Structure formats: C-alpha cells, structure tokens
Amino acid sequence: MELPPYEPQQVPEGHYRFKVMAEPEKTKRTSSGGNDFVSIKFSFKLMDELGNIRYHKESLVPWNPCYRDLLLAFGAKPDKKGNVHLGDEVSVVGKEFDAEIIHEPDKDDPKKSWSRIANIKLDDDVPPPKEDDEVPF
C-alpha cells in the first residue's frame, strides 16, 4: 500500500503567483462591540518559482490595506479621495497577481501562526490618491 506524501498545511513563506479560483464569498459578521461588517473570503491557487502548486484561502475585511492592494491588482482604480471600488459587475475569477506569503503569529496562541498575503505587486502606473483635484474650465 502506498501512503500519501507529507504535505504541510501551511503555505511556506515566499514569493508566489496567485490566481483567483472562485468568486469571493461575502459573509456578514458582527464584531464583539455589536457592529456589523463584511468579511470577504478568497480562494487562490499559488505557484512558486519552481512551478510547485499550493492552495490558499484568506478572509479579508474592507479596511485592511491588503484588501485595497488586492482590488488594485484586480484592476480597480482609486477615486479622488483614495477609495478603491471594483464594482459588482467585474468577475475576479481567473485574475492573477504576484505577492508574498508571510507567517503571522496568532494573537492568542504563540505556538500557532497563519499564512497571510503580503507585498502585493501593483502596476507602477497606479496613481496615489490626490489631495486636491483641479478642474480645467
């Protein structure tokens, strides 16, 4: 009988090419303070420089800077105030981008850590938010 090989559950730290595998799942949640918010869960296929494939799921909240960078990587553009909107009519399935996986320590258990997306590579032509917009009349 052949036994399956050992496969670590946690994605190793490093640089990967990410591909969105399914439509993100939006989940309404309530904070410990009683405030409602939305969490967005993404399913990714990752490929490292050697061609090794891994899978990663990560939930983000809209105020996380990583979420902003993810929307920009999907092609969204910031408005004059710096808000980033992708729009409901845009499908992100199949979208690809480069980023890192880092291991973030668990807040409650120092023996645990979580694989997290970091350092999402953006196109150099994404402008920073403008403070004042001049209208030519």
Side-chain angles (χ1 to χ4, degrees):
M1 172 171 81
E2 184 177 334
L3 296 174
Y6 165 76
E7 293 182 22
Q9 258 189 311
Q10 194 171 42
V11 176
E13 288 187 316
H15 177 84
Y16 294 90
R17 181 76 181 166
F18 286 70
K19 183 176 183 177
V20 180
M21 298 305 295
E23 283 297 329
E25 299 172 23
K26 294 185 229 176
T27 304
K28 185 177 176 182
R29 300 194 183 268
T30 303
S31 71
S32 58
N35 297 318
D36 291 336
F37 66 96
V38 173
S39 173
I40 303 99
K41 186 176 188 176
F42 294 90
S43 296
F44 301 107
K45 180 179 180 180
L46 285 59
M47 184 168 53
D48 66 16
E49 285 94 4
L50 301 174
N52 297 313
I53 303 293
R54 297 194 180 272
Y55 295 91
H56 176 68
K57 291 186 179 192
E58 187 160 344
S59 293
L60 296 168
V61 289
W63 58 86
N64 183 323
C66 185
Y67 181 71
R68 178 187 188 276
D69 289 346
L70 193 57
L71 293 180
L72 292 171
F74 293 157
K77 301 291 182 200
D79 64 17
K80 295 175 192 172
K81 296 179 182 178
N83 296 322
V84 179
H85 305 276
L86 189 59
D88 289 337
E89 68 281 351
V90 177
S91 174
V92 297
V93 175
K95 298 270 186 187
E96 296 186 21
F97 60 94
D98 289 320
E100 307 287 326
I101 287 286
I102 61 168
H103 292 169
E104 182 179 279
D106 187 281
K107 291 182 260 182
D108 300 324
D109 185 350
K111 295 177 186 174
K112 290 183 183 178
S113 65
W114 303 97
S115 297
R116 298 282 187 230
I117 299 173
N119 305 318
I120 296 172
K121 182 168 178 352
L122 302 176
D123 292 335
D124 294 335
D125 61 350
V126 175
K130 291 183 180 180
E131 293 296 322
D132 195 355
D133 189 42
E134 294 182 25
V135 179
F137 287 116

